[in-house]
Amino acid sequence: MRKWCFIQGVLLLLTILLASPASAAGTELMSVFSLRITVVEQGTEYEWEYDSPNKYEYEQGERVIKGDLAKDKMEHILEVLQFDENENVSSFVERLKQSDYPNLERVDIRYMDSDSRLHTWVWNKDR
């Protein structure tokens, strides 16, 4: 339940940020954050990207999607992961394997929070 509330909080925060006007002033860049999720399965690389305030991108192999469809893809992967910055990589890996990526080879998640702290989770099948 707590993780679901966190996901809802992240989505609410993303919605608030999307409704806010973008600005490049130095002090306002302090609140910028980003999320990168990379998954490799059977040699195909999948990548979800979010940059505040409203840039979404999804890549599957050579195919790149931006905009609302990429946002939908990001929301889906956050639900699958039950994303929580305090979670361990093994939990993320198990959730991915149980959902859309049973033959998972690699996971790399990088989250820059609003305090400019980088959180990183990396997992490789062979290690």
Side-chain angles (χ1 to χ4, degrees), residues 62-76:
E62 300 295 318
R63 183 175 168 217
V64 178
I65 299 170
K66 297 181 181 188
D68 289 339
L69 183 55
K71 179 182 177 185
D72 293 343
K73 297 279 190 183
M74 176 61 85
E75 289 172 352
H76 174 74

Side-chain angles (χ1 to χ4, degrees), residues 11 37 46-49 56-60 63 65-81 100-101:
L11 293 176
I37 301 169
Y46 303 85
E47 187 171 7
W48 298 260
E49 299 180 6
Y56 292 91
E57 189 171 295
Y58 171 73
E59 299 175 32
Q60 180 178 346
R63 183 175 168 217
I65 299 170
K66 297 181 181 188
D68 289 339
L69 183 55
K71 179 182 177 185
D72 293 343
K73 297 279 190 183
M74 176 61 85
E75 289 172 352
H76 174 74
I77 197 67
L78 289 174
E79 288 176 19
V80 166
L81 290 171
D100 304 322
Y101 306 95

Side-chain angles (χ1 to χ4, degrees), residues 11-22 50 52-54 56 71:
L11 293 176
L12 178 62
L13 180 59
L14 291 174
T15 302
I16 291 169
L17 290 172
L18 291 175
S20 302
Y50 169 75
S52 176
N54 62 358
Y56 292 91
K71 179 182 177 185

Side-chain angles (χ1 to χ4, degrees), residues 80-91:
V80 166
L81 290 171
Q82 299 173 27
F83 186 77
D84 181 333
E85 66 184 50
N86 297 311
E87 191 66 80
N88 64 54
V89 72
S90 298
S91 297

